[in-house]
């Protein structure tokens, strides 16, 4: 009597570590976001004086151990938030500059976009520019460099042909950044910290775009 073959189902290969690992990574990202969000919210509510590790831990519900695991230290958390906000600001500048065809309109758009972002996001701008403990961020961390490198490269790529054509002054990039952004940063910082006589940020919108263009205009501008 013929024996019918028995169909054998292929064995299912299971990878029990895959889902737990993905879940662990997702929880890690959620913890990072919770800490960064709590840090900014705390700074916005209580100012630099109330911005402490204890405050962030209490506001986020995350343990001190988790903070150290993800950021290395409270300064590491501060640096990561600083990098993220720097990236947001630079995103706005890139979006403002790249569509502009002329050097003048691009420079003016960059200045206006910087001012607009800071006035729209005062707490974020204060964190970037008004922190009394910026000295703790002694040098650019890897997180800062990674967060801002693409945007800075995009801005420099837009500037380069204008410099080559003599429409924008040919100076080292670091000095050009001082000419382009330095006056804006100073004006916004004075407004943020309440320096007497600097409370009308509308004046910066009125005067700085053209004045800064005059400072960076090249011989063919």
């Amino acid at each position: 009597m013929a024996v019918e073959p028995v169909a054998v189902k292929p064995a299912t290969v299971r990878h029990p570590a895959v889902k737990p690992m993905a879940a662990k990574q997702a929880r890690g990202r959620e913890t990072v976001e919770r800490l960064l969000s709590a840090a900014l919210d705390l700074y916005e509510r209580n100012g630099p004086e109330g911005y402490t590790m204890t405050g962030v831990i209490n506001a986020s519900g995350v343990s001190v151990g988790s903070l150290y695991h993800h950021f290395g230290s409270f300064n590491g958390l501060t640096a990561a938030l600083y990098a993220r906000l720097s990236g947001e600001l630079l995103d706005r500048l890139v979006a403002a500059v790249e569509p502009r065809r002329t050097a003048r309109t691009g420079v003016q758009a960059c200045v206006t976009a910087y001012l607009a972002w800071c006035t729209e996001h005062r707490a974020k701008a204060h964190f970037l520019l008004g922190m009394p403990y910026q000295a703790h961020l002694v040098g650019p961390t890897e997180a800062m460099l990674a967060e801002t490198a693409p945007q800075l490269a995009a801005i420099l790529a837009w500037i380069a042909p204008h410099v080559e054509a003599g429409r924008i002054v040919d100076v080292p990039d670091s000095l050009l950044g001082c000419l382009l952004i330095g006056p804006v940063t100073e004006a916004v910082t004075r407004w943020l910290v309440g320096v007497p006589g600097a409370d009308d940020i509308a004046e910066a919108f009125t005067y700085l775009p053209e004045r800064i263009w005059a400072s960076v205009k090249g011989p063919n501008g």
Side-chain angles (χ1 to χ4, degrees), residues 100-111 158 162 167-168 180 209-214 216-217 221:
R100 307 295 173 171
R101 299 182 63 182
T102 70
R104 179 178 183 175
T105 57
V107 167
Q108 292 177 333
C110 181
V111 173
W158 180 87
H162 292 295
R167 294 185 290 267
I168 291 178
L180 184 60
E210 183 60 27
R211 291 296 89 208
I212 290 175
W213 161 244
V216 302
K217 183 172 65 172

Side-chain angles (χ1 to χ4, degrees), residues 76-101:
L77 169 65
T78 299
L81 183 54
Y82 189 94
R84 171 168 293 190
L85 299 182
S86 296
E88 285 187 22
L89 172 56
L90 286 169
D91 281 340
R92 177 72 72 90
L93 303 189
V94 171
V97 165
E98 284 191 329
R100 307 295 173 171
R101 299 182 63 182

Side-chain angles (χ1 to χ4, degrees), residues 1-133:
M1 183 174 64
V3 179
E4 293 183 2
V6 178
V8 179
K9 293 183 179 181
T12 301
V13 179
R14 299 182 182 276
H15 300 282
V18 173
K19 287 186 177 180
M21 180 63 71
K24 183 177 180 180
Q25 291 173 343
R27 287 195 300 272
R29 290 192 294 269
E30 181 183 348
T31 299
V32 166
E33 292 302 320
R34 190 185 306 170
L35 284 165
L36 291 172
S37 177
L40 182 59
D41 288 345
L42 183 69
Y43 188 91
E44 184 172 8
R45 289 196 313 271
N46 300 336
E49 297 79 10
Y51 179 73
T52 63
M53 183 169 71
T54 300
V56 171
I57 292 301
N58 291 338
S60 66
V62 175
S63 69
V64 174
S66 290
L67 185 152
Y68 274 80
H69 171 73
H70 290 290
F71 296 103
S73 65
F74 186 57
N75 281 347
L77 169 65
T78 299
L81 183 54
Y82 189 94
R84 171 168 293 190
L85 299 182
S86 296
E88 285 187 22
L89 172 56
L90 286 169
D91 281 340
R92 177 72 72 90
L93 303 189
V94 171
V97 165
E98 284 191 329
R100 307 295 173 171
R101 299 182 63 182
T102 70
R104 179 178 183 175
T105 57
V107 167
Q108 292 177 333
C110 181
V111 173
T112 300
Y114 192 115
L115 290 168
W117 186 89
C118 290
T119 55
E120 291 167 16
H121 305 283
R122 183 164 184 158
K124 293 180 178 181
H126 199 291
F127 193 93
L128 286 179
L129 304 176
M131 283 196 305
Y133 44 78

Side-chain angles (χ1 to χ4, degrees), residues 192-212:
L192 288 170
V193 301
V195 172
D199 56 336
D200 188 2
I201 196 64
E203 291 181 344
F205 281 91
T206 300
Y207 294 106
L208 287 183
E210 183 60 27
R211 291 296 89 208
I212 290 175

